[in-house]
Amino acid sequence: MAQNQSAPDTTRRSERSRRAIYDAALALVAEVGYPKTTIEGIASRAGVGKQTIYRWWPSKADVLLEAFLDLADQAARAAGAADRQPYAIPDTGDLAADLKAVLRATVDELRDPGFEAPSRALAAEGLVNEELGRRFVAKLLEPQLQLYVDRLRAAQDTGDIRADVDPRIALELFVSPLAQRWLQHTGPISHDYTDTLVDYALNGLAPR
Amino acid sequence: MAQNQSAPDTTRRSERSRRAIYDAALALVAEVGYPKTTIEGIASRAGVGKQTIYRWWPSKADVLLEAFLDLADQAARAAGAADRQPYAIPDTGDLAADLKAVLRATVDELRDPGFEAPSRALAAEGLVNEELGRRFVAKLLEPQLQLYVDRLRAAQDTGDIRADVDPRIALELFVSPLAQRWLQHTGPISHDYTDTLVDYALNGLAPR
Amino acid sequence: MAQNQSAPDTTRRSERSRRAIYDAALALVAEVGYPKTTIEGIASRAGVGKQTIYRWWPSKADVLLEAFLDLADQAARAAGAADRQPYAIPDTGDLAADLKAVLRATVDELRDPGFEAPSRALAAEGLVNEELGRRFVAKLLEPQLQLYVDRLRAAQDTGDIRADVDPRIALELFVSPLAQRWLQHTGPISHDYTDTLVDYALNGLAPR
Amino acid sequence: MAQNQSAPDTTRRSERSRRAIYDAALALVAEVGYPKTTIEGIASRAGVGKQTIYRWWPSKADVLLEAFLDLADQAARAAGAADRQPYAIPDTGDLAADLKAVLRATVDELRDPGFEAPSRALAAEGLVNEELGRRFVAKLLEPQLQLYVDRLRAAQDTGDIRADVDPRIALELFVSPLAQRWLQHTGPISHDYTDTLVDYALNGLAPR
DNA sequence: TCTTAAACGAGACGGTACGTCGGGTCTTCTA
DNA sequence: TAGAAGACCCGACGTACCGTCTCGTTTAAGA
């Protein structure tokens, strides 16, 4: 509700503490799960006073969101350093192959235990806490989805996708099913599965 | 942890208390949100001792799950009494029209505030609590999805859907996008939107 | 400020917890001193939840006051069982001797470490917290002083004390100096010292 | 615990800060009471960094003690400037009258709200913190008592007091009762009361 | 007069305890 | 004997201060 009375001085913030808090938060979520992760636990594990957490974040969920964003950033930077093209879907000319490749990579990532616990926890919190949910989506999900939009737009230019299709909706045909299966355990996820999704989505269910 | 020592005698269970607890749980979730709904709050609002809740349910989530199942049952019974065909997707011969009609009804239901709060809360809890999540899916989601499977199978018989398509995956093309938009606030949901999903899914994104 | 909302049910109070809390409070005050005695410390030492303390007492000082009153009661009961005349100053006919005897006993008691820590702590708290101070005086100090009033009244009947003297003031001539020396460390206390006080008070400082 | 590493340079001390701290400490004790007076509060009210307090004083009690000594000094200097005889009990030849006059003045002083809060707070702290108590007594109480010793010695020379009386003890007959009534609220204090104390003390309680 | 080292204001930090809330267990009394 | 009531032990909450520790910024000494 109320704004932090007299916001703290960011320039004097302890980088060491910030890092320790991120690490502790991610580790605890992975080890004991989100609900059993407590602010006290994070503080104690990080070797930090509770007030240092409350000074900079309004809630446990916000700590975890920032920690996860930081983790994603680091991973992105690491990947970027390696292949120099971190933030785009490849365009080999074969749309189906490109989409399948990216979705296979996503499947692998979703199974990485280091990512699974925090991102599942954040997604869950976001369902119930709309404000946090919107930030989660805006910071993490939308940027990813935008890459699909870009690739689908390129496919429209080459005629691989009908021109009257809305790419922002189109991408959901293969992305959302994967998301739901993973989030809600409504089915197994595999490379075959995502390959199938791409085929169905591009070619349609009706006979041609 | 510990099992209820000497499981309580179901025959002597107070129906009045059970109903009061369901009502209190649903009301509280709608009013203050899931995280601020407490067992103590439910008990006090239902005019019931805490032990009466702990005797019959292992956790807050289970109370809410049963309360919601009960609510859904009641709604289904009410609808069933009216149109005598509650649990099937209509088959008018026009697959696209049938799917669009059902999805439009689903959109309306997702916007009903009485349904939204508890189902969102249960979905969130299910993300993080796998055991509960599986029950949530099995009891509520799968039966719904099975209706789509049935309708798509019928469409395969009439040749409206390719025979080599897996209906359980196919239905996700239009169901999952709606689910994700609603759950994660990744976009607005409307009749137009679901209509578009059906069109894209049936006809594919690639030009014919 | 506010009254306990819906005061707890005294009949269901745990006697075992009450005793454990008294013991822990007195022990901690004796061991680490009043300021370092904390509610958390008392609770933990007593093997009791903090809420059990907050349910029954509004503050640390109140816990200690009750604990000390209980201790004094027990001591009185023990003494009473022994000599059958616990609560009166002896009247042997020799006023000076009687007063000296009682004051010598008081000196001994003031030096008992088990009594010293809590009573000093309560006295200190009473200085600054008037409400508690008044209770401390009414429950512990005044009953003692009343015994002196009674004895001095008897002495007025036998002519050992002038009839126009106010006994409530008179007793302060020998009681208050002892109290002040003990409380404020303004001087040593000993049997000789209290004997002298009695002599000075009875005979006056001016030559006769 | 640790000694100030390399004691600070007194010559560079900020007089302005010292004064501001004294003023803030006395004001806060008067306004919110000693327990609710905090170092942070004093620092903030004085417009001073916390470290400036910790640099020069080891504890809240020490700050207040010095502040109060300073206040007493100022008051004494102000009085001294006026009547040129600040630090002695008058000797008009009438011992009883002299003592009554001084005690009446003391009663008035004890009722001055500006003095009451801090001196009561320091007395309370002194009960429980022996080291501070001894300093409080040595710096504030003993000098006052010494004046009585001097006056009583003079009275012994003129024969108004028996030669075998110990003045250090004798003075307690009228000083301690007043002190106790004030400190512990064991009774009202008034000019009549102190007059009575002097009469009883000088003439004794026994008939002559 | 300028340099320079200190005291200073500010406030972030690792901690401890506060008083409150709710969890899940247990006991007592009532219907 | 199920249920209403609620005391109990426990642990986390978010807050307030503690005493220590940097940070720039005065400010007064001595070069």
Side-chain angles (χ1 to χ4, degrees):
Chain A
M1 274 302 105
Q3 217 28 38
N4 283 356
Q5 63 282 36
S6 72
D9 181 344
T10 319
T11 67
R12 307 187 52 177
R13 184 165 182 184
S14 162
E15 180 62 14
R16 141 195 284 275
S17 294
R18 199 173 58 82
R19 290 240 55 82
I21 288 165
Y22 286 166
D23 294 348
L26 292 170
L28 281 174
V29 166
E31 285 171 24
V32 304
Y34 180 73
K36 288 193 177 167
T37 297
T38 65
I39 299 262
E40 294 211 330
I42 296 172
S44 139
R45 173 121 168 196
V48 140
K50 271 201 287 182
Q51 199 54 49
T52 299
I53 298 184
Y54 285 110
R55 178 150 40 229
W56 301 109
W57 295 277
S59 73
K60 175 172 78 163
D62 287 81
V63 175
L64 193 57
L65 176 55
E66 276 196 26
F68 191 64
L69 287 173
D70 177 82
L71 180 66
D73 261 25
Q74 282 181 273
R77 242 189 307 275
D83 64 10
R84 212 59 315 240
Q85 195 77 17
Y87 273 120
I89 291 175
D91 187 345
T92 64
D94 181 346
L95 175 62
D98 291 349
L99 293 176
K100 288 176 183 175
V102 171
L103 285 172
R104 284 172 174 232
T106 302
V107 166
D108 294 342
E109 192 182 282
L110 292 179
R111 282 168 165 164
D112 175 340
F115 267 68
E116 169 146 19
S119 57
R120 189 178 287 281
L122 285 167
E125 187 71 17
L127 298 207
V128 132
N129 175 346
E130 180 160 350
E131 196 275 323
L132 185 104
R134 293 201 184 284
R135 258 185 302 149
F136 175 74
V137 166
K139 293 274 180 64
L140 277 166
L141 225 50
E142 280 303 338
Q144 297 285 332
L145 300 184
Q146 189 56 42
L147 304 182
Y148 287 98
V149 170
D150 296 342
R151 183 64 185 84
L152 292 180
R153 285 243 169 79
Q156 286 178 314
D157 292 342
T158 62
D160 291 331
I161 295 274
R162 281 185 283 127
D164 62 333
V165 157
D166 179 342
R168 183 57 185 72
I169 295 178
L171 66 88
E172 297 178 10
L173 295 198
F174 39 85
V175 166
S176 293
L178 174 59
Q180 188 174 32
R181 283 204 171 190
W182 178 72
L183 271 178
Q184 303 198 275
H185 308 287
T186 47
I189 62 180
S190 66
H191 291 181
D192 276 359
Y193 168 64
T194 49
D195 286 356
T196 304
L197 285 175
V198 171
D199 289 335
Y200 288 4
L202 292 183
N203 301 318
L205 306 170
R208 322 202 81 167
Chain B
M1 276 299 109
Q3 205 47 24
N4 286 353
Q5 65 280 37
S6 69
D9 180 347
T10 319
T11 67
R12 307 196 47 171
R13 181 166 184 184
S14 161
E15 180 61 14
R16 142 198 284 276
S17 293
R18 200 173 56 82
R19 291 241 54 84
I21 288 165
Y22 286 166
D23 294 347
L26 291 170
L28 281 174
V29 166
E31 285 171 24
V32 305
Y34 180 72
K36 287 193 178 168
T37 296
T38 64
I39 299 262
E40 295 212 327
I42 296 171
S44 138
R45 173 121 168 196
V48 139
K50 272 203 285 181
Q51 197 53 44
T52 300
I53 298 184
Y54 283 110
R55 184 157 26 232
W56 301 109
W57 293 275
S59 75
K60 175 171 78 164
D62 286 81
V63 175
L64 192 59
L65 177 55
E66 276 198 24
F68 190 63
L69 287 174
D70 177 82
L71 180 66
D73 260 25
Q74 282 181 274
R77 243 188 309 273
D83 66 9
R84 208 65 314 236
Q85 196 78 16
Y87 274 117
I89 292 174
D91 187 345
T92 64
D94 182 343
L95 174 63
D98 292 348
L99 294 176
K100 287 177 182 174
V102 172
L103 286 172
R104 284 174 175 231
T106 302
V107 165
D108 295 341
E109 192 182 282
L110 292 179
R111 281 167 165 166
D112 175 341
F115 268 67
E116 168 145 21
S119 59
R120 190 179 284 282
L122 285 166
E125 186 72 16
L127 297 207
V128 131
N129 175 345
E130 182 161 349
E131 194 276 322
L132 185 103
R134 292 201 184 284
R135 258 186 302 149
F136 174 74
V137 166
K139 293 271 179 67
L140 278 166
L141 223 52
E142 280 303 339
Q144 297 285 334
L145 300 184
Q146 190 56 41
L147 305 182
Y148 288 97
V149 170
D150 296 342
R151 183 66 185 81
L152 292 179
R153 286 242 168 80
Q156 286 178 314
D157 292 343
T158 62
D160 291 331
I161 294 275
R162 297 200 317 267
D164 62 333
V165 157
D166 178 342
R168 184 56 186 73
I169 295 178
L171 67 89
E172 297 178 10
L173 295 200
F174 38 84
V175 167
S176 293
L178 175 58
Q180 186 174 33
R181 282 205 173 189
W182 178 71
L183 272 177
Q184 304 199 275
H185 308 285
T186 46
I189 62 181
S190 67
H191 292 179
D192 276 0
Y193 168 64
T194 49
D195 287 357
T196 304
L197 285 175
V198 171
D199 289 336
Y200 287 5
L202 293 183
N203 300 317
L205 306 170
R208 323 202 80 171
Chain C
M1 268 310 94
Q3 213 34 34
N4 283 356
Q5 64 281 35
S6 73
D9 180 345
T10 319
T11 67
R12 307 186 52 176
R13 183 165 184 184
S14 162
E15 180 62 15
R16 143 196 282 277
S17 294
R18 200 173 56 83
R19 290 241 54 84
I21 289 165
Y22 286 167
D23 293 348
L26 292 170
L28 281 174
V29 166
E31 285 171 25
V32 304
Y34 180 73
K36 287 194 176 164
T37 297
T38 65
I39 299 263
E40 295 211 329
I42 296 172
S44 139
R45 172 119 168 197
V48 140
K50 271 202 287 181
Q51 199 55 49
T52 299
I53 298 185
Y54 285 111
R55 180 152 36 231
W56 301 110
W57 295 276
S59 74
K60 176 172 77 163
D62 286 81
V63 175
L64 193 58
L65 176 55
E66 276 197 24
F68 191 64
L69 287 174
D70 177 82
L71 180 66
D73 260 25
Q74 282 181 274
R77 242 189 307 275
D83 65 8
R84 210 68 306 244
Q85 195 78 18
Y87 271 119
I89 292 175
D91 186 346
T92 64
D94 181 343
L95 175 63
D98 291 348
L99 294 176
K100 287 177 182 173
V102 172
L103 286 172
R104 283 172 176 232
T106 302
V107 165
D108 294 342
E109 192 182 281
L110 292 179
R111 282 168 165 165
D112 176 341
F115 268 67
E116 167 145 22
S119 57
R120 189 178 286 281
L122 285 166
E125 188 71 17
L127 296 206
V128 133
N129 175 345
E130 180 160 351
E131 195 275 324
L132 184 104
R134 292 201 183 285
R135 259 186 301 150
F136 175 75
V137 166
K139 292 274 180 67
L140 277 165
L141 225 50
E142 280 303 338
Q144 298 285 334
L145 300 183
Q146 189 57 41
L147 305 182
Y148 287 97
V149 170
D150 296 342
R151 183 64 186 82
L152 292 179
R153 285 243 168 80
Q156 286 178 315
D157 292 342
T158 60
D160 291 331
I161 295 273
R162 282 186 282 129
D164 62 333
V165 157
D166 180 341
R168 183 59 186 69
I169 296 178
L171 66 89
E172 297 177 12
L173 295 198
F174 39 84
V175 167
S176 294
L178 175 59
Q180 187 173 33
R181 282 204 172 190
W182 179 71
L183 273 177
Q184 303 199 277
H185 308 286
T186 46
I189 62 180
S190 66
H191 291 181
D192 275 0
Y193 169 63
T194 48
D195 287 357
T196 305
L197 285 175
V198 171
D199 289 335
Y200 287 4
L202 293 183
N203 300 317
L205 307 170
R208 324 201 81 172
Chain D
M1 277 297 111
Q3 207 42 26
N4 285 354
Q5 65 281 38
S6 70
D9 180 346
T10 319
T11 66
R12 307 192 51 170
R13 181 166 185 183
S14 162
E15 179 62 14
R16 143 197 281 277
S17 294
R18 201 173 56 84
R19 291 240 53 84
I21 289 165
Y22 287 166
D23 294 347
L26 292 169
L28 281 174
V29 166
E31 285 171 24
V32 304
Y34 180 73
K36 288 192 176 168
T37 297
T38 65
I39 298 262
E40 295 211 328
I42 296 171
S44 140
R45 172 120 169 197
V48 139
K50 274 202 286 181
Q51 198 54 43
T52 300
I53 298 185
Y54 284 110
R55 182 155 30 231
W56 301 111
W57 295 275
S59 74
K60 176 171 77 162
D62 287 81
V63 175
L64 191 59
L65 177 55
E66 277 197 26
F68 190 63
L69 287 173
D70 177 82
L71 180 66
D73 261 24
Q74 283 182 274
R77 245 189 306 275
D83 66 8
R84 212 61 314 237
Q85 195 76 18
Y87 274 118
I89 292 175
D91 188 344
T92 65
D94 182 343
L95 175 62
D98 291 348
L99 293 177
K100 287 175 182 175
V102 172
L103 284 173
R104 283 172 175 234
T106 301
V107 165
D108 295 341
E109 192 182 282
L110 291 180
R111 283 167 164 166
D112 176 341
F115 269 66
E116 169 146 21
S119 58
R120 190 179 285 281
L122 285 167
E125 187 73 16
L127 296 208
V128 132
N129 174 344
E130 181 160 350
E131 194 276 323
L132 184 103
R134 293 203 183 283
R135 259 186 301 149
F136 175 73
V137 166
K139 291 272 181 67
L140 277 165
L141 223 54
E142 280 303 339
Q144 297 284 333
L145 300 184
Q146 190 56 41
L147 305 183
Y148 287 97
V149 170
D150 296 343
R151 183 64 185 82
L152 292 179
R153 285 244 168 78
Q156 287 178 313
D157 292 344
T158 61
D160 290 330
I161 294 273
R162 296 201 317 266
D164 62 334
V165 157
D166 179 341
R168 184 57 186 70
I169 295 178
L171 66 90
E172 297 177 11
L173 295 199
F174 38 85
V175 167
S176 292
L178 175 59
Q180 187 174 31
R181 283 204 171 191
W182 178 72
L183 272 176
Q184 302 200 279
H185 308 285
T186 46
I189 62 180
S190 67
H191 291 181
D192 275 1
Y193 169 64
T194 49
D195 287 358
T196 303
L197 285 174
V198 171
D199 289 336
Y200 287 4
L202 293 183
N203 300 317
L205 306 170
R208 325 202 79 173

